[in-house]
Amino acid sequence: AQSVTQLGSHVSVSEGALVLLRCNYSSSVPPYLFWYVQYPNQGLQLLLKYTTGATLVKGINGFEAEFKKSETSFHLTKPSAHMSDAAEYFCAGGGSQGNLIFGKGTKLSVKP
Amino acid sequence: DTAVSQTPKYLVTQMGNDKSIKCEQNLGHDTMYWYKQDSKKFLKIMFSYNNKELIINETVPNRFSPKSPDKAHLNLHINSLELGDSAVYFCASSRGLPINTGELFFGEGSRLTVL
């Protein structure tokens, strides 16, 4: 079955620290991978995406992710967390019907 | 000018009632979706329409009926509401299928509370 797994439902970092949010996908998921962010009381918006080409993908707000086929991973990183990064982050992969399958989300908290 | 707009934003109703949520997109997209987000933030696709035709219909009770009068609108009607229907419902749109174009555009959500 197709699945996208996010490790850790809640990650807490200090302001200025490295952000690492983990995502693994099942090998049956087509290699189209995305990270979305959801701020409180808002819809989701795209942070970055991998479809083809360079495996290190840069997105908005200083985030980047690396597609690693051998590890079936697509972890999201940011070198230095800001308070404004506090939000829910969703990893998603392409489903068999062309839709997106979302992971269960990781809540990022940023401490002053 | 909101790209994907949903109404109402909040909906509180009694068990057994029937309610509708409306969605409109002004992006010129041809594919629209309804997603359900539960209290644990888990997002699950319910329906997808491409050019007014139903293309994805996940395992959803038939109390839920989507309707797409045209490419820019996708409404969700729910009959005989149950407590478990309480959730945030998100409308989204894309140009073609998202795995091809890479992006879903989401509305701000409609929070449904069934008492």
Side-chain angles (χ1 to χ4, degrees):
Chain A
Q2 297 169 313
S3 66
V4 173
T5 304
Q6 293 182 240
L7 301 174
S9 59
H10 190 193
V11 170
S12 182
V13 300
S14 297
E15 195 171 19
L18 170 73
V19 175
L20 171 60
L21 305 182
R22 298 176 190 273
C23 173
N24 288 88
Y25 63 93
S26 65
S27 57
S28 58
V29 169
Y32 302 99
L33 295 160
F34 311 86
W35 277 98
Y36 280 79
V37 60
Q38 184 181 26
Y39 298 104
N41 299 315
Q42 293 187 28
L44 283 72
Q45 53 183 285
L46 184 69
L47 264 183
L48 50 80
K49 63 184 179 187
Y50 170 79
T51 51
T52 58
T55 56
L56 181 62
V57 180
K58 293 188 187 299
I60 61 171
N61 301 337
F63 284 93
E64 60 182 40
E66 187 168 11
F67 170 65
K68 290 188 176 179
K69 188 175 179 180
S70 60
E71 298 177 9
T72 60
S73 70
F74 191 57
H75 301 330
L76 181 71
T77 60
K78 181 173 180 178
S80 175
H82 294 157
M83 297 296 292
S84 60
D85 294 327
E88 192 88 23
Y89 291 80
F90 293 88
C91 183
S96 60
Q97 300 179 78
N99 60 314
L100 292 188
I101 299 170
F102 286 88
K104 292 193 174 181
T106 299
K107 182 175 181 178
L108 175 66
S109 299
V110 182
K111 298 173 288 189
Chain B
D1 199 18
T2 306
V4 181
S5 58
Q6 303 178 221
T7 54
K9 194 165 182 177
Y10 299 97
L11 192 50
V12 181
T13 188
Q14 300 286 332
M15 261 176 31
N17 283 351
D18 302 338
K19 289 294 176 188
S20 292
I21 307 172
K22 296 186 175 183
C23 178
E24 176 181 5
Q25 54 94 4
N26 62 8
L27 298 168
H29 289 166
D30 51 7
T31 309
M32 296 185 71
Y33 311 79
W34 279 109
Y35 278 85
K36 179 181 180 181
Q37 187 175 48
D38 63 22
S39 58
K40 294 185 178 176
K41 300 287 188 180
F42 182 54
L43 262 173
K44 188 171 172 10
I45 190 165
M46 301 173 70
F47 303 104
S48 175
Y49 273 74
N50 177 263
N51 284 318
K52 300 196 298 173
E53 281 194 34
L54 183 65
I55 57 170
I56 295 175
N57 185 359
E58 290 295 306
T59 309
V60 174
N62 55 16
R63 297 182 295 104
F64 290 78
S65 52
K67 281 209 174 86
S68 182
D70 56 58
K71 278 192 339 178
H73 296 84
L74 180 61
N75 303 323
L76 183 66
H77 188 75
I78 316 170
N79 289 330
S80 304
L81 279 157
E82 299 177 358
L83 293 176
D85 297 332
S86 295
V88 181
Y89 292 85
F90 285 99
C91 178
S93 72
S94 66
R95 182 174 292 112
L97 296 175
I99 65 165
N100 297 326
T101 62
E103 186 167 5
L104 286 177
F105 289 79
F106 282 83
E108 293 194 339
S110 297
R111 182 178 293 277
L112 172 64
T113 303
V114 182
L115 303 175

